[in-house]
């Protein structure tokens, strides 16, 4: 099993209505990778998403922002992975995470979907749970509150700033992730002060 990453998929919902909403935190990560590394994305109907490629420290990596709704995003990830013969172990999925505070990131190897509809569909479409996840903390609205309304809402300015700062740190650690040095990346992300 390789630990190198060949595909980074950022999850979100397409359309102007959802720009800037918490559920699109995975899109923000891919956008920041493009900004920092001179990448651009183009719509590709074959894969149901916006696709691009960047080179980071000599490592080529495909980028994907599915342009189908979150609960069907696995179709785009699986289509691209099949076309380029990328096994699940070489895929990193960046997604919003209710169980982490804003500004907190966690890398996770494999696992379940934790109720996240995008992850659920990716697991089903890939036929595997063995992909890497970049969990981007967006906080939880609290017991009894409307989770759907919360994730589809925009974060407060201080939360967005914390998320953006965390994403900048994740982008800085991307070379380690692409090289397969996931333990180093995890240690640095997980011990952030």
């Amino acid at each position: 099993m390789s630990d190198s990453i060949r595909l980074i998929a950022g999850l979100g919902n397409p359309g102007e209505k959802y720009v800037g909403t918490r559920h699109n935190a995975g899109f923000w990560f891919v956008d920041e990778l493009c900004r920092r590394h001179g990448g651009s994305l183009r719509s590709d109907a074959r894969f149901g998403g916006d696709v691009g490629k960047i080179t980071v420290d000599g490592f080529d990596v495909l980028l994907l922002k599915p342009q189908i709704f979150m609960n069907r995003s696995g179709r785009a990830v699986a289509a691209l992975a099949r076309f380029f013969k990328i096994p699940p172990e070489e895929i990193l999925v960046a997604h919003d995470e209710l169980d982490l505070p804003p500004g907190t990131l966690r890398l996770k190897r494999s696992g379940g979907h934790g109720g996240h509809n995008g992850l659920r569909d990716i697991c089903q479409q890939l036929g595997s749970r063995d992909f890497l996840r970049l969990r981007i903390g967006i906080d939880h609205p609290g017991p009894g509150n409307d989770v759907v309304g919360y994730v589809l809402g925009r974060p407060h300015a201080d939360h967005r700033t914390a998320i953006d700062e965390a994403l900048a740190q994740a982008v800085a650690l991307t070379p380690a992730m692409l090289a397969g040095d996931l333990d180093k990346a995890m240690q640095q992300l997980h011990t952030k002060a």
Side-chain angles (χ1 to χ4, degrees), residues 83-107:
F83 185 84
F84 288 101
K85 298 179 173 50
I86 300 172
E89 298 84 13
E90 296 179 1
I91 299 171
L92 169 66
V93 175
H95 65 90
D96 59 303
E97 178 58 64
L98 285 164
D99 294 331
L100 295 172
T104 303
L105 297 174
R106 292 289 181 263
L107 270 175

Side-chain angles (χ1 to χ4, degrees), residues 13 39 45 53 55 58 63 72 75 110 113 123-124 165 174 182:
N13 283 311
K53 185 167 93 169
T55 302
L63 302 176
R72 297 284 181 240
R75 288 191 285 176
S110 192
H113 55 73
C123 291
Q124 289 174 349
E165 288 171 356
T174 299
L182 301 180

Side-chain angles (χ1 to χ4, degrees), residues 121-136:
D121 196 55
I122 291 169
C123 291
Q124 289 174 349
Q125 296 292 331
L126 289 177
S128 174
R129 303 181 319 171
D130 295 332
F131 52 91
L132 189 68
R133 300 102 192 279
L134 177 65
R135 302 166 62 211
I136 304 165

Side-chain angles (χ1 to χ4, degrees), residues 18-188:
Y18 299 102
V19 171
T21 62
R22 294 176 181 92
H23 221 19
N24 280 25
F27 279 6
W28 303 344
F29 178 60
V30 170
D31 290 340
E32 186 63 11
L33 284 170
C34 284
R35 192 182 74 73
R36 293 278 186 93
H37 296 287
S40 62
L41 303 174
R42 274 193 205 155
S43 178
D44 193 324
R46 293 176 300 172
F47 307 121
D50 294 343
V51 180
K53 185 167 93 169
I54 57 173
T55 302
V56 181
D57 286 4
F59 294 97
D60 292 331
V61 63
L62 290 166
L63 302 176
L64 170 67
K65 287 169 50 176
Q67 294 300 301
I68 45 186
F69 284 100
M70 180 72 78
N71 61 350
R72 297 284 181 240
S73 53
R75 288 191 285 176
V77 174
L80 194 65
R82 279 193 300 271
F83 185 84
F84 288 101
K85 298 179 173 50
I86 300 172
E89 298 84 13
E90 296 179 1
I91 299 171
L92 169 66
V93 175
H95 65 90
D96 59 303
E97 178 58 64
L98 285 164
D99 294 331
L100 295 172
T104 303
L105 297 174
R106 292 289 181 263
L107 270 175
K108 182 179 178 186
R109 287 183 175 105
S110 192
H113 55 73
H116 192 289
N117 289 330
L119 293 180
R120 177 183 285 119
D121 196 55
I122 291 169
C123 291
Q124 289 174 349
Q125 296 292 331
L126 289 177
S128 174
R129 303 181 319 171
D130 295 332
F131 52 91
L132 189 68
R133 300 102 192 279
L134 177 65
R135 302 166 62 211
I136 304 165
I138 62 167
D139 213 354
H140 197 286
N145 289 313
D146 176 18
V147 170
V148 173
Y150 180 78
V151 299
L152 296 180
R154 288 171 171 72
H156 302 295
D158 56 335
H159 285 187
R160 179 64 197 250
T161 298
I163 293 167
D164 288 343
E165 288 171 356
L167 292 177
Q169 183 189 18
V171 168
L173 289 171
T174 299
M177 290 188 271
L178 297 183
D181 196 351
L182 301 180
D183 291 332
K184 174 185 176 182
M186 284 180 184
Q187 180 183 21
Q188 291 193 35

